[in-house]
Amino acid sequence: MTGISDAEGAAAVEIVRRLRRQEHSRTRGLYETVFSEDSQRFVDYYYERVAKENEIYVVEDGEEIRAMLHLNPYPVCLYDSEYLLHYIVAVGTHPAYRHRGMMRRLLGQALETMYDRGEPFTFLMPADEQIYRPFDFTWISRTNYQEIAPKDFRKDAGLTAYRAERADIPDLAWIGQRILKERYCVFAKRTQAYFERLLEEQEAMKGEVVLLGENRIPRGYLAYSAEDGVPEIRELAVERGYASQAFAALADWFYYDEKVKMYGFPEELELSGASQRPFMMGRIVHLERFVESVRAKEEQFLEFSLEDKLLPKNSGSFRCRLSPDGSAAERIAEREGLPRLTPSELLNRLLEEETVFFHETV
């Protein structure tokens, strides 16, 4: 508990705590203030469908919530293991109370909770990377981006695009998990619950989820929003060998649109003019659990001291064995000469050496 002065100079007592579920709606006013660009329709969806499942940490002064951080649970496939991890979202401070260290306090509390649960890492999509770099977040994935004119891809598709309904959720979960498992080492598990929420989320953003099928056999899917008038595909997954046919089906679906924005499409599509953009930032939470979950191309050993100023429980000296068939980390005694690394420096080193890989949709 910390005593500070509020915006008007009066004494205030601010505490950081996790809200009870029945209190989650108390954060809506702050959400609408901080994220004013979100439509009323989306905010309704978020608080009716998503926020009730989240963990929400707040800085509050009496009945007033000054700042908040939401943890959104996702089952994540991490190499050969599966974890329930938490995606950090809706981090915001009331404009009158910014630059007082509230975000640091919220992140510290949330990370400590995740560490105690043994969660290997956490992730977020930043509005500004500079906000999160001081807290040891670093880029862990990039996404393909391209604007296309649907008319350029119109031809005999081979695949048929049709709007996904609730009855199609089992098919979506089956094809989604199958595609991602064969392509990526790390990704959010495509469960039926994942697609139930995806259907609702796209509808809240004036979009849809679309199945791509061959004689009604699912070969892929896409999810898009259209809040700004221009369709924006945020998720496009298709089985190998069907990429060109998927684009023709996509062009047919968006027949009346002059352009479509696309993120995260498979690289084998090889579109001219496509670019890559940073997409997701991540942070090591529990070093031992993280290391035991990753795989390396070849066996290697690392010894270092980890300095985690935001999460002291994660600090210490370690010896790591990284290999294709299993990895492990053990704490060792501190000694002179060990490289001193922050969590972001360690993760960057593993990424640069291609020891770990992340898919852009995580």
PDB file of all heavy atoms in Angstrom, residues 293-312:
ATOM      1  N   SER A 293      10.679 -26.286 -21.970  1.00  0.00           N
ATOM      2  CA  SER A 293       9.667 -26.413 -23.011  1.00  0.00           C
ATOM      3  C   SER A 293      10.198 -26.197 -24.414  1.00  0.00           C
ATOM      4  O   SER A 293       9.508 -26.497 -25.386  1.00  0.00           O
ATOM      5  CB  SER A 293       8.538 -25.398 -22.764  1.00  0.00           C
ATOM      6  OG  SER A 293       7.964 -25.589 -21.496  1.00  0.00           O
ATOM      7  N   VAL A 294      11.413 -25.642 -24.552  1.00  0.00           N
ATOM      8  CA  VAL A 294      11.920 -25.320 -25.881  1.00  0.00           C
ATOM      9  C   VAL A 294      12.815 -26.430 -26.412  1.00  0.00           C
ATOM     10  O   VAL A 294      13.263 -27.306 -25.672  1.00  0.00           O
ATOM     11  CB  VAL A 294      12.682 -23.972 -25.887  1.00  0.00           C
ATOM     12  CG1 VAL A 294      11.809 -22.859 -25.366  1.00  0.00           C
ATOM     13  CG2 VAL A 294      13.983 -24.060 -25.098  1.00  0.00           C
ATOM     14  N   ARG A 295      13.066 -26.393 -27.692  1.00  0.00           N
ATOM     15  CA  ARG A 295      13.942 -27.362 -28.355  1.00  0.00           C
ATOM     16  C   ARG A 295      14.956 -26.604 -29.202  1.00  0.00           C
ATOM     17  O   ARG A 295      14.632 -25.564 -29.787  1.00  0.00           O
ATOM     18  CB  ARG A 295      13.127 -28.310 -29.237  1.00  0.00           C
ATOM     19  CG  ARG A 295      12.083 -29.123 -28.483  1.00  0.00           C
ATOM     20  CD  ARG A 295      12.747 -30.117 -27.536  1.00  0.00           C
ATOM     21  NE  ARG A 295      11.768 -30.893 -26.797  1.00  0.00           N
ATOM     22  CZ  ARG A 295      11.322 -30.562 -25.585  1.00  0.00           C
ATOM     23  NH1 ARG A 295      11.778 -29.461 -24.984  1.00  0.00           N
ATOM     24  NH2 ARG A 295      10.442 -31.313 -24.966  1.00  0.00           N
ATOM     25  N   ALA A 296      16.174 -27.118 -29.258  1.00  0.00           N
ATOM     26  CA  ALA A 296      17.229 -26.510 -30.049  1.00  0.00           C
ATOM     27  C   ALA A 296      17.549 -27.397 -31.243  1.00  0.00           C
ATOM     28  O   ALA A 296      17.270 -28.597 -31.242  1.00  0.00           O
ATOM     29  CB  ALA A 296      18.481 -26.313 -29.195  1.00  0.00           C
ATOM     30  N   LYS A 297      18.142 -26.803 -32.281  1.00  0.00           N
ATOM     31  CA  LYS A 297      18.527 -27.579 -33.461  1.00  0.00           C
ATOM     32  C   LYS A 297      19.624 -28.581 -33.117  1.00  0.00           C
ATOM     33  O   LYS A 297      19.675 -29.679 -33.665  1.00  0.00           O
ATOM     34  CB  LYS A 297      19.002 -26.647 -34.569  1.00  0.00           C
ATOM     35  CG  LYS A 297      17.895 -25.831 -35.219  1.00  0.00           C
ATOM     36  CD  LYS A 297      18.450 -24.979 -36.338  1.00  0.00           C
ATOM     37  CE  LYS A 297      17.354 -24.212 -37.050  1.00  0.00           C
ATOM     38  NZ  LYS A 297      17.891 -23.366 -38.150  1.00  0.00           N
ATOM     39  N   GLU A 298      20.507 -28.189 -32.202  1.00  0.00           N
ATOM     40  CA  GLU A 298      21.590 -29.075 -31.786  1.00  0.00           C
ATOM     41  C   GLU A 298      21.895 -28.801 -30.319  1.00  0.00           C
ATOM     42  O   GLU A 298      21.567 -27.736 -29.786  1.00  0.00           O
ATOM     43  CB  GLU A 298      22.839 -28.848 -32.634  1.00  0.00           C
ATOM     44  CG  GLU A 298      23.337 -27.427 -32.642  1.00  0.00           C
ATOM     45  CD  GLU A 298      24.476 -27.206 -33.607  1.00  0.00           C
ATOM     46  OE1 GLU A 298      24.527 -27.910 -34.639  1.00  0.00           O
ATOM     47  OE2 GLU A 298      25.325 -26.344 -33.311  1.00  0.00           O
ATOM     48  N   GLU A 299      22.525 -29.751 -29.669  1.00  0.00           N
ATOM     49  CA  GLU A 299      22.784 -29.611 -28.238  1.00  0.00           C
ATOM     50  C   GLU A 299      23.753 -28.465 -27.964  1.00  0.00           C
ATOM     51  O   GLU A 299      24.748 -28.286 -28.665  1.00  0.00           O
ATOM     52  CB  GLU A 299      23.355 -30.915 -27.678  1.00  0.00           C
ATOM     53  CG  GLU A 299      23.487 -30.886 -26.163  1.00  0.00           C
ATOM     54  CD  GLU A 299      23.891 -32.229 -25.594  1.00  0.00           C
ATOM     55  OE1 GLU A 299      25.051 -32.631 -25.802  1.00  0.00           O
ATOM     56  OE2 GLU A 299      23.039 -32.876 -24.957  1.00  0.00           O
ATOM     57  N   GLN A 300      23.412 -27.687 -26.940  1.00  0.00           N
ATOM     58  CA  GLN A 300      24.286 -26.605 -26.513  1.00  0.00           C
ATOM     59  C   GLN A 300      24.055 -26.337 -25.039  1.00  0.00           C
ATOM     60  O   GLN A 300      23.007 -26.683 -24.481  1.00  0.00           O
ATOM     61  CB  GLN A 300      24.041 -25.332 -27.336  1.00  0.00           C
ATOM     62  CG  GLN A 300      22.611 -24.836 -27.308  1.00  0.00           C
ATOM     63  CD  GLN A 300      22.415 -23.600 -28.173  1.00  0.00           C
ATOM     64  OE1 GLN A 300      22.971 -22.540 -27.889  1.00  0.00           O
ATOM     65  NE2 GLN A 300      21.645 -23.743 -29.244  1.00  0.00           N
ATOM     66  N   PHE A 301      25.057 -25.719 -24.399  1.00  0.00           N
ATOM     67  CA  PHE A 301      24.972 -25.414 -22.975  1.00  0.00           C
ATOM     68  C   PHE A 301      25.176 -23.919 -22.769  1.00  0.00           C
ATOM     69  O   PHE A 301      26.020 -23.293 -23.435  1.00  0.00           O
ATOM     70  CB  PHE A 301      26.019 -26.206 -22.188  1.00  0.00           C
ATOM     71  CG  PHE A 301      25.767 -27.688 -22.181  1.00  0.00           C
ATOM     72  CD1 PHE A 301      26.275 -28.493 -23.199  1.00  0.00           C
ATOM     73  CD2 PHE A 301      25.029 -28.282 -21.172  1.00  0.00           C
ATOM     74  CE1 PHE A 301      26.054 -29.863 -23.208  1.00  0.00           C
ATOM     75  CE2 PHE A 301      24.791 -29.647 -21.175  1.00  0.00           C
ATOM     76  CZ  PHE A 301      25.304 -30.440 -22.190  1.00  0.00           C
ATOM     77  N   LEU A 302      24.406 -23.354 -21.859  1.00  0.00           N
ATOM     78  CA  LEU A 302      24.528 -21.939 -21.518  1.00  0.00           C
ATOM     79  C   LEU A 302      24.622 -21.800 -20.010  1.00  0.00           C
ATOM     80  O   LEU A 302      23.883 -22.461 -19.268  1.00  0.00           O
ATOM     81  CB  LEU A 302      23.317 -21.144 -22.014  1.00  0.00           C
ATOM     82  CG  LEU A 302      23.020 -21.094 -23.514  1.00  0.00           C
ATOM     83  CD1 LEU A 302      21.706 -20.359 -23.750  1.00  0.00           C
ATOM     84  CD2 LEU A 302      24.152 -20.399 -24.249  1.00  0.00           C
ATOM     85  N   GLU A 303      25.520 -20.943 -19.555  1.00  0.00           N
ATOM     86  CA  GLU A 303      25.591 -20.575 -18.144  1.00  0.00           C
ATOM     87  C   GLU A 303      25.550 -19.058 -18.051  1.00  0.00           C
ATOM     88  O   GLU A 303      26.262 -18.366 -18.794  1.00  0.00           O
ATOM     89  CB  GLU A 303      26.864 -21.116 -17.492  1.00  0.00           C
ATOM     90  CG  GLU A 303      26.868 -22.625 -17.323  1.00  0.00           C
ATOM     91  CD  GLU A 303      28.045 -23.109 -16.500  1.00  0.00           C
ATOM     92  OE1 GLU A 303      28.972 -22.301 -16.248  1.00  0.00           O
ATOM     93  OE2 GLU A 303      28.032 -24.286 -16.100  1.00  0.00           O
ATOM     94  N   PHE A 304      24.741 -18.542 -17.146  1.00  0.00           N
ATOM     95  CA  PHE A 304      24.562 -17.093 -17.044  1.00  0.00           C
ATOM     96  C   PHE A 304      23.867 -16.757 -15.731  1.00  0.00           C
ATOM     97  O   PHE A 304      23.307 -17.623 -15.054  1.00  0.00           O
ATOM     98  CB  PHE A 304      23.720 -16.578 -18.221  1.00  0.00           C
ATOM     99  CG  PHE A 304      22.393 -17.263 -18.347  1.00  0.00           C
ATOM    100  CD1 PHE A 304      21.269 -16.813 -17.667  1.00  0.00           C
ATOM    101  CD2 PHE A 304      22.256 -18.397 -19.152  1.00  0.00           C
ATOM    102  CE1 PHE A 304      20.054 -17.453 -17.777  1.00  0.00           C
ATOM    103  CE2 PHE A 304      21.032 -19.051 -19.270  1.00  0.00           C
ATOM    104  CZ  PHE A 304      19.936 -18.579 -18.573  1.00  0.00           C
ATOM    105  N   SER A 305      23.906 -15.478 -15.399  1.00  0.00           N
ATOM    106  CA  SER A 305      23.126 -14.950 -14.286  1.00  0.00           C
ATOM    107  C   SER A 305      22.004 -14.097 -14.856  1.00  0.00           C
ATOM    108  O   SER A 305      22.261 -13.204 -15.682  1.00  0.00           O
ATOM    109  CB  SER A 305      24.006 -14.101 -13.350  1.00  0.00           C
ATOM    110  OG  SER A 305      24.883 -14.918 -12.619  1.00  0.00           O
ATOM    111  N   LEU A 306      20.794 -14.390 -14.443  1.00  0.00           N
ATOM    112  CA  LEU A 306      19.627 -13.648 -14.926  1.00  0.00           C
ATOM    113  C   LEU A 306      19.273 -12.571 -13.911  1.00  0.00           C
ATOM    114  O   LEU A 306      19.107 -12.857 -12.722  1.00  0.00           O
ATOM    115  CB  LEU A 306      18.441 -14.605 -15.113  1.00  0.00           C
ATOM    116  CG  LEU A 306      17.217 -14.006 -15.820  1.00  0.00           C
ATOM    117  CD1 LEU A 306      17.521 -13.751 -17.294  1.00  0.00           C
ATOM    118  CD2 LEU A 306      16.011 -14.940 -15.700  1.00  0.00           C
ATOM    119  N   GLU A 307      19.180 -11.338 -14.385  1.00  0.00           N
ATOM    120  CA  GLU A 307      18.805 -10.210 -13.537  1.00  0.00           C
ATOM    121  C   GLU A 307      17.423  -9.730 -13.949  1.00  0.00           C
ATOM    122  O   GLU A 307      17.262  -9.084 -14.972  1.00  0.00           O
ATOM    123  CB  GLU A 307      19.815  -9.073 -13.686  1.00  0.00           C
ATOM    124  CG  GLU A 307      21.211  -9.430 -13.188  1.00  0.00           C
ATOM    125  CD  GLU A 307      22.178  -8.271 -13.310  1.00  0.00           C
ATOM    126  OE1 GLU A 307      22.271  -7.709 -14.419  1.00  0.00           O
ATOM    127  OE2 GLU A 307      22.820  -7.937 -12.297  1.00  0.00           O
ATOM    128  N   ASP A 308      16.434 -10.082 -13.149  1.00  0.00           N
ATOM    129  CA  ASP A 308      15.055  -9.714 -13.440  1.00  0.00           C
ATOM    130  C   ASP A 308      14.579  -8.720 -12.378  1.00  0.00           C
ATOM    131  O   ASP A 308      14.118  -9.095 -11.305  1.00  0.00           O
ATOM    132  CB  ASP A 308      14.169 -10.965 -13.446  1.00  0.00           C
ATOM    133  CG  ASP A 308      12.826 -10.703 -14.110  1.00  0.00           C
ATOM    134  OD1 ASP A 308      12.373  -9.544 -14.093  1.00  0.00           O
ATOM    135  OD2 ASP A 308      12.228 -11.662 -14.643  1.00  0.00           O
ATOM    136  N   LYS A 309      14.722  -7.443 -12.683  1.00  0.00           N
ATOM    137  CA  LYS A 309      14.397  -6.400 -11.701  1.00  0.00           C
ATOM    138  C   LYS A 309      12.906  -6.299 -11.423  1.00  0.00           C
ATOM    139  O   LYS A 309      12.499  -5.891 -10.328  1.00  0.00           O
ATOM    140  CB  LYS A 309      14.939  -5.051 -12.191  1.00  0.00           C
ATOM    141  CG  LYS A 309      16.457  -5.000 -12.260  1.00  0.00           C
ATOM    142  CD  LYS A 309      16.948  -3.651 -12.739  1.00  0.00           C
ATOM    143  CE  LYS A 309      18.481  -3.621 -12.795  1.00  0.00           C
ATOM    144  NZ  LYS A 309      18.982  -2.309 -13.281  1.00  0.00           N
ATOM    145  N   LEU A 310      12.087  -6.649 -12.398  1.00  0.00           N
ATOM    146  CA  LEU A 310      10.639  -6.561 -12.195  1.00  0.00           C
ATOM    147  C   LEU A 310      10.093  -7.799 -11.492  1.00  0.00           C
ATOM    148  O   LEU A 310       9.080  -7.738 -10.815  1.00  0.00           O
ATOM    149  CB  LEU A 310       9.943  -6.369 -13.552  1.00  0.00           C
ATOM    150  CG  LEU A 310       8.460  -5.994 -13.523  1.00  0.00           C
ATOM    151  CD1 LEU A 310       8.244  -4.685 -12.772  1.00  0.00           C
ATOM    152  CD2 LEU A 310       7.916  -5.879 -14.943  1.00  0.00           C
ATOM    153  N   LEU A 311      10.769  -8.926 -11.656  1.00  0.00           N
ATOM    154  CA  LEU A 311      10.331 -10.196 -11.081  1.00  0.00           C
ATOM    155  C   LEU A 311      11.521 -10.859 -10.386  1.00  0.00           C
ATOM    156  O   LEU A 311      12.148 -11.768 -10.924  1.00  0.00           O
ATOM    157  CB  LEU A 311       9.773 -11.090 -12.194  1.00  0.00           C
ATOM    158  CG  LEU A 311       9.160 -12.428 -11.812  1.00  0.00           C
ATOM    159  CD1 LEU A 311       8.027 -12.262 -10.813  1.00  0.00           C
ATOM    160  CD2 LEU A 311       8.651 -13.135 -13.070  1.00  0.00           C
ATOM    161  N   PRO A 312      11.863 -10.403  -9.179  1.00  0.00           N
ATOM    162  CA  PRO A 312      13.058 -10.912  -8.491  1.00  0.00           C
ATOM    163  C   PRO A 312      13.088 -12.422  -8.310  1.00  0.00           C
ATOM    164  O   PRO A 312      14.165 -13.023  -8.302  1.00  0.00           O
ATOM    165  CB  PRO A 312      12.999 -10.192  -7.130  1.00  0.00           C
ATOM    166  CG  PRO A 312      12.225  -8.935  -7.399  1.00  0.00           C
ATOM    167  CD  PRO A 312      11.194  -9.333  -8.417  1.00  0.00           C
TER     168      PRO A 312
END
